[in-house]
Amino acid sequence: MTDRAEQRATMVNALREEPGSYARMLEDGTGVIYRIRPSDGGFAAG
């Protein structure tokens, strides 16, 4: 598993356990806000 894939898997697992809003800067400097909420036993991201 590459470092990037491992980071993504870790992030997905963390988001499942702690719904909320998360901010992230992309490589090009663009800011993104993810909103995570429970949905039918899983989660939905927007």
Side-chain angles (χ1 to χ4, degrees):
M1 183 180 287
T2 66
D3 286 341
R4 188 172 207 143
E6 187 174 330
Q7 287 176 352
R8 183 180 174 120
T10 299
M11 184 175 165
V12 168
N13 287 332
L15 294 176
R16 283 184 182 151
E17 294 179 11
E18 296 189 35
S21 294
Y22 298 86
R24 181 174 182 193
M25 295 296 285
L26 301 179
E27 291 178 8
D28 68 359
T30 303
V32 178
I33 298 174
Y34 297 94
R35 291 183 307 180
I36 311 302
R37 60 182 167 72
S39 177
D40 296 325
F43 70 99

